Amino acid sequence: MEASGAAGPLVPVQQLAAWGAAGAMVFGGVVPYIPQYRQIRRTQNADGFSTYVCLVLLVANILRILFWFGRHFEAPLLWQSIIMIITMLLMLKLCTEVRVANELSAKRRCFADLDLRHFWHWSRFADYLQCLLSFGGLAGSLTYLCLDSPLFVELLGFTAVFSEALLGLPQLYRNYRNSSTDGMSVKMVLMWTSGDTFKTVYFILNQAPFQFSICGLLQVLVDMAILLQVYLYSSYPQKPVSHPPHPASTKAL
């Protein structure tokens, strides 16, 4: 009797813990971008950030949602993808507006030009939406046609999480190219690291598809590499390497 009575109060506690973990999974991924968003909005400068990070997350989460149709996984992971897509669109919109405002004399580029030299360096937010809708339509059609193939579904899931695992590489390369982490929010990277560590443990404990665990581990390694850059470039500052100007060199996250 005492054992059953003691177990009773633990059930709501366990449920609350489960709900809290699910909520952290859904919204925790977007929290690291809040300080970067505020910094860009305050300074009206997005030079320290790479919009390719937005591209990676948008592609990865669109593919993850399509993967869900072939192999259902936990609802919090699905909602996480939806919330992340909305967040990245807001980030992309802000950074595009800031970049265009700072490059009044630059030639305007659009998605309809189909010029790979200026891919993802367009002058209007609407062009990014056109690109994403085109990609989503093509990927969705292919998924619909191949949904009965287990091999295709597993490859789709692996592509989704592997591309997300490479999330930090554009920022890592940009820091290396500039020999500096100026303009990048260190708070964001610290939140990346803590969030990626949490979700990797969440994936393992909840027996999510193996692709998710691989993604989490790779992301943690990239996060640690960026933090190492922060330490090295602050402790041993280097002379920035000069690069030829690019018509759309500002790549904001």
Side-chain angles (χ1 to χ4, degrees):
M1 286 293 292
E2 292 181 0
S4 61
L10 292 178
V11 175
V13 174
Q14 292 175 346
Q15 290 179 341
L16 288 174
W19 292 341
M25 282 301 302
V26 173
F27 297 102
V30 305
V31 172
Y33 299 97
I34 295 176
Q36 186 68 63
Y37 184 94
R38 294 179 62 187
Q39 179 175 326
I40 294 173
R41 193 176 185 85
R42 184 181 68 253
T43 63
Q44 290 297 297
N45 189 321
D47 289 348
F49 234 54
S50 174
T51 48
Y52 283 116
V53 177
C54 292
L55 173 62
V56 169
L57 276 175
L58 287 166
V59 169
N61 284 283
I62 289 172
L63 293 179
R64 188 197 284 189
I65 291 174
L66 294 176
F67 176 51
W68 182 86
F69 288 99
R71 181 178 176 183
H72 288 359
F73 45 79
E74 287 193 327
L77 300 181
L78 178 62
W79 280 106
Q80 180 195 48
S81 292
I82 296 173
I83 297 298
M84 183 60 75
I85 288 174
I86 296 173
T87 303
M88 288 300 101
L89 289 176
L90 291 174
M91 289 290 297
L92 196 56
K93 184 175 186 296
L94 172 66
C95 295
T96 303
E97 292 172 350
V98 169
R99 186 183 71 240
V100 171
N102 292 336
E103 297 180 351
L104 297 176
S105 61
K107 182 179 179 181
R108 294 297 183 253
R109 308 289 180 182
C110 65
F111 173 66
D113 293 338
L114 299 178
D115 189 343
L116 292 179
R117 293 174 302 171
H118 305 289
F119 177 76
W120 212 248
H121 299 299
W122 302 306
S123 304
R124 299 181 309 157
F125 177 64
D127 291 299
Y128 293 94
L129 290 180
Q130 291 174 23
C131 177
L132 293 170
L133 288 174
S134 300
F135 171 77
L138 289 173
S141 299
L142 182 61
T143 301
Y144 177 77
L145 294 174
C146 302
L147 204 56
D148 294 331
S149 170
L151 177 61
F152 173 82
V153 172
E154 293 301 324
L155 285 175
L156 178 64
F158 182 79
T159 302
V161 297
F162 184 73
S163 57
E164 184 177 353
L166 302 179
L167 162 67
L169 286 185
Q171 191 66 53
L172 186 74
Y173 174 73
R174 187 178 185 84
N175 295 341
Y176 169 77
R177 186 170 181 267
N178 295 339
S179 297
S180 171
T181 57
D182 290 344
M184 183 194 73
S185 172
V186 178
K187 291 181 181 178
M188 179 197 68
V189 182
L190 289 172
M191 290 181 182
W192 273 359
T193 308
S194 59
D196 290 339
T197 302
F198 170 80
K199 75 179 182 182
T200 301
V201 175
Y202 180 92
F203 292 153
I204 295 173
L205 294 180
N206 288 274
Q207 298 181 337
F210 76 95
Q211 295 99 325
F212 288 89
S213 300
I214 295 174
C215 162
L217 290 172
L218 287 176
Q219 280 185 287
V220 171
L221 291 176
V222 175
D223 295 341
M224 294 176 66
I226 295 177
L227 288 176
L228 180 61
Q229 284 183 321
V230 173
Y231 169 75
L232 291 176
Y233 292 145
S234 60
S235 301
Y236 308 98
Q238 303 178 33
K239 183 179 179 180
V241 180
S242 60
H243 300 280
H246 189 281
S249 59
T250 305
K251 305 171 189 174
L253 173 63

